[in-house]
Amino acid sequence: MGEFDLIRRYFQRPATTGVDVGVGDDCAVLVPTPGARWLVSSDMLVEGRHFLSTVDPARLGHKALAVNLSDLAACGATPRGFTLALALPRVDEAWLAGFSRGLLALADAHGCPLVGGDTTQGPLNLCITVFGEAPAGQALLRSGARVGDEIWVSGTLGDARLALEVFRGTVALPGDGFEAVRAAMECPTPRVSLGQALRGVATAALDISDGLLGDLGHILAASHVGARLDVDALPRSAVLAAQPAALQRTCVLAGGDDYELVFTAPPGARLPSSSVPLTRIGVIEAEPGLRVVDGRGDAVEHGLRSFDHFAS
Amino acid sequence: MGEFDLIRRYFQRPATTGVDVGVGDDCAVLVPTPGARWLVSSDMLVEGRHFLSTVDPARLGHKALAVNLSDLAACGATPRGFTLALALPRVDEAWLAGFSRGLLALADAHGCPLVGGDTTQGPLNLCITVFGEAPAGQALLRSGARVGDEIWVSGTLGDARLALEVFRGTVALPGDGFEAVRAAMECPTPRVSLGQALRGVATAALDISDGLLGDLGHILAASHVGARLDVDALPRSAVLAAQPAALQRTCVLAGGDDYELVFTAPPGARLPSSSVPLTRIGVIEAEPGLRVVDGRGDAVEHGLRSFDHFAS
């Protein structure tokens, strides 16, 4: 099967509303909503770094788009479409069928059509660029946190890291527990509707991809503030909560791959009624730096840092 | 140097007009021009496939953006910005400095700012997604060619392929000639202003990346027409014109990496006065298929086909 057959069979879909031209020309042509800003984000996933070679291709397709939709969610954007650039070592039709099924199912669920991209031969690499819209001045940024704001997080943290530790062989879990945390790692849910509902409510937001400590640090740096974070308040699943305390802290503070939203809002702000639980985990303070405390307010020494692709 | 320092040092630039938020948040935020359509294209470049490991990094930076701008040019779009996702085996500051210099020089020349992206560790891979605008209904597509239209091409064809043959060792060239065709391969010029000038003039257009035969075939397929192409009329450089006739034909018909525009226009259409030469190379016909003829109108047997990344 050649490159163009591959695109037609697995990735070409009928045009949808708001898309004048989709897959198949030099460019896709999209119809912006009058008055809206155009939001863009791009993520690249590399085998062995962002996913294991053994992962179910449908889950990989889901995750490749989910991590990009999560960036739109963090900015409160409405998804409009995405491009996929794909380097494949060879054409594996079973893999492509699974990958495109997982990818396009999530795309359909969010009304976010695949509008273009590229395919080439090379070491397995997935690069998705996603486009969305938000009303002018309403995109959620990292820079808006103010002293006294409360810090909130969606869902639970740390399951993806716990699953990674099982794959690494440092932790053993019973089958049910493993499948639950494995799904968190391989099939994250982007908080797209929550992000949109936080427009005009949250003062700052981002999605947790490299671990809460580092990602919250980006909000603090961009907003020129500090924070106090209650590690005991950090929401965690029953599976993670059954693990030793030190492992729990590593997973919730520096786990990575969570794709939950962390956001700040003034005390008493009217938070949206969300289908995903929201938990208050700390407060923004004037003093620079991030102070991690336990439920009694005592400082916690954690020695953890965020994930960095090039840190030695 | 960590991931975020790398981004700050080599890729973060001051915000520019039309960009509310650039590099450094979860998404970039761009301001669309009222009434315009939004055009998007994405290309992935893999070491050993799209470029040699020995290429000058500044030229690689230029080319990575040039091939994307060429897609915007093919649609007649005005560039607005781009994202860069980059997988690097390791942090090589000399390489990064050269790469970003070449990349951002071309970006500045086209008023097309880098607004976001991703960096990760992995086999060298460059994925750029570019955004542009065109008035509603004026984007140049592949599907508009009509019987009787003339077929035109910009610049000259085949030099990039000739350079590749030198690298492959099948052709020897004197130093001056080699440097000229090597620059065509490594530093293509995207025909952005020509593309915009062809709005309302050309009936169909695309950029030649995989070789004229195959790429023109895309216009014929999308427009449901055929064509007659005069191989002797195809424009070529003095260096290529000094090569054996069979090699010339391979290079101009199926060379690839040309990044010139091929477009169709009715006879007598008022073509823009362009700084790049335009050459009439054939005519659109009702009979399906592509008939290659020589200057006397005799059929040419070429046995060539377009480049396909997955053809065996």
Side-chain angles (χ1 to χ4, degrees):
Chain A
M1 181 169 50
E3 179 179 357
F4 300 108
D5 289 331
L6 183 162
I7 293 168
R8 268 190 292 272
R9 186 168 311 174
Y10 295 110
F11 298 111
Q12 199 153 11
R13 306 286 289 266
T16 52
T17 309
V19 180
D20 280 355
V21 178
V23 173
D25 214 298
D26 291 281
C27 294
V29 183
L30 302 171
V31 185
T33 302
R37 291 295 188 260
W38 196 256
L39 281 77
V40 173
S41 185
S42 193
D43 273 307
M44 178 174 269
L45 274 66
V46 176
E47 180 174 319
R49 188 111 196 135
H50 300 91
F51 58 91
L52 304 172
S53 60
T54 53
V55 68
D56 170 26
R59 286 190 163 191
L60 181 60
H62 172 101
K63 184 169 179 175
L65 181 57
V67 304
N68 279 280
L69 288 173
S70 185
D71 284 313
L72 287 184
C75 291
T78 305
R80 286 297 313 273
F82 71 103
T83 57
L84 167 69
L86 188 60
L88 297 170
R90 64 189 184 290
V91 174
D92 175 339
E93 294 213 38
W95 189 93
L96 279 164
F99 178 82
S100 71
R101 190 175 67 245
L103 177 82
L104 298 177
L106 186 65
D108 289 347
H110 289 280
C112 185
L114 175 61
V115 297
D118 195 15
T119 55
T120 185
Q121 194 176 46
L124 187 55
N125 184 306
L126 316 168
C127 182
I128 285 181
T129 306
V130 73
F131 322 111
E133 292 181 324
Q138 291 193 35
L140 304 175
L141 303 178
R142 300 175 174 188
S143 51
R146 289 168 298 200
V147 174
D149 280 355
E150 297 176 328
I151 305 170
W152 295 80
V153 71
S154 64
T156 63
L157 300 179
D159 277 0
R161 174 62 176 268
L162 183 59
L164 183 62
E165 295 300 329
V166 175
F167 278 110
R168 284 174 170 168
T170 67
V171 174
L173 282 183
D176 283 5
F178 175 56
E179 286 308 321
V181 297
R182 180 181 189 170
M185 180 176 87
E186 295 179 346
C187 257
T189 302
R191 303 303 185 188
V192 175
S193 56
L194 173 62
Q196 292 173 50
L198 288 172
R199 287 180 197 157
V201 177
T203 50
L206 56 62
D207 71 314
I208 306 172
S209 54
D210 294 337
L212 175 63
L213 283 184
D215 286 328
L216 180 55
H218 295 313
I219 287 183
L220 304 186
S223 301
H224 307 289
V225 294
R228 184 160 42 87
L229 186 71
D230 177 359
V231 68
D232 289 338
L234 294 177
R236 62 206 81 185
S237 70
V239 177
L240 181 56
Q243 299 300 311
L247 176 61
Q248 287 188 45
R249 284 190 179 170
T250 296
C251 291
V252 293
L253 286 174
D257 253 5
D258 290 304
Y259 304 106
E260 296 294 348
L261 299 186
V262 58
F263 62 93
T264 57
R270 195 183 180 84
L271 297 186
S273 56
S274 164
S275 60
V276 57
L278 302 177
T279 306
R280 199 178 75 92
I281 61 172
V283 63
I284 296 294
E285 298 177 333
E287 185 188 345
L290 178 57
R291 289 158 290 285
V292 180
V293 300
D294 64 18
R296 292 169 305 187
D298 294 336
V300 170
E301 289 301 318
H302 53 79
L304 298 167
R305 61 180 187 179
S306 186
F307 186 77
D308 184 318
H309 282 288
F310 294 106
S312 52
Chain B
M1 183 169 49
E3 179 180 356
F4 299 108
D5 289 332
L6 184 162
I7 294 168
R8 267 189 293 271
R9 186 168 309 173
Y10 295 110
F11 297 111
Q12 200 153 11
R13 305 287 287 268
T16 52
T17 309
V19 180
D20 280 355
V21 178
V23 173
D25 213 298
D26 291 281
C27 293
V29 182
L30 302 170
V31 186
T33 303
R37 292 294 188 261
W38 196 254
L39 280 77
V40 174
S41 186
S42 191
D43 272 307
M44 177 174 272
L45 275 65
V46 176
E47 179 174 319
R49 188 110 196 137
H50 300 92
F51 58 91
L52 304 171
S53 60
T54 52
V55 68
D56 169 25
R59 287 190 163 191
L60 182 60
H62 172 101
K63 182 167 178 174
L65 181 58
V67 303
N68 279 280
L69 288 173
S70 183
D71 284 312
L72 287 184
C75 291
T78 304
R80 287 296 314 274
F82 72 103
T83 57
L84 166 71
L86 188 58
L88 296 170
R90 65 191 183 288
V91 175
D92 175 339
E93 295 213 37
W95 189 93
L96 279 164
F99 178 82
S100 72
R101 189 176 67 246
L103 178 82
L104 297 177
L106 186 65
D108 288 347
H110 288 280
C112 184
L114 175 61
V115 298
D118 195 15
T119 55
T120 185
Q121 195 176 45
L124 186 55
N125 185 306
L126 315 169
C127 182
I128 285 182
T129 306
V130 72
F131 321 112
E133 291 181 324
Q138 291 192 37
L140 304 176
L141 304 178
R142 301 175 173 188
S143 51
R146 287 168 298 202
V147 173
D149 280 355
E150 297 176 327
I151 306 170
W152 294 80
V153 70
S154 65
T156 63
L157 300 178
D159 277 359
R161 174 61 177 269
L162 182 59
L164 183 62
E165 295 301 328
V166 175
F167 278 109
R168 284 174 170 168
T170 67
V171 173
L173 282 183
D176 283 4
F178 175 55
E179 285 309 322
V181 296
R182 181 182 188 169
M185 180 176 86
E186 295 179 347
C187 257
T189 301
R191 304 303 185 188
V192 176
S193 56
L194 173 61
Q196 292 173 50
L198 288 172
R199 288 181 197 156
V201 177
T203 51
L206 56 62
D207 71 314
I208 306 173
S209 55
D210 294 339
L212 175 63
L213 282 185
D215 286 328
L216 180 55
H218 295 313
I219 287 184
L220 304 186
S223 300
H224 307 289
V225 293
R228 183 161 41 88
L229 186 71
D230 177 359
V231 68
D232 290 337
L234 294 176
R236 62 205 82 186
S237 70
V239 177
L240 181 57
Q243 299 300 311
L247 176 61
Q248 287 188 45
R249 284 191 179 169
T250 296
C251 290
V252 293
L253 286 175
D257 254 5
D258 292 304
Y259 303 106
E260 295 294 348
L261 299 187
V262 58
F263 62 93
T264 57
R270 195 183 179 85
L271 297 186
S273 57
S274 163
S275 60
V276 57
L278 303 178
T279 307
R280 198 178 76 94
I281 61 172
V283 63
I284 297 293
E285 299 177 332
E287 185 188 344
L290 178 57
R291 289 158 290 285
V292 180
V293 299
D294 63 19
R296 293 169 304 186
D298 293 337
V300 170
E301 289 303 318
H302 54 79
L304 298 166
R305 61 179 186 178
S306 187
F307 187 75
D308 184 316
H309 282 289
F310 294 106
S312 52

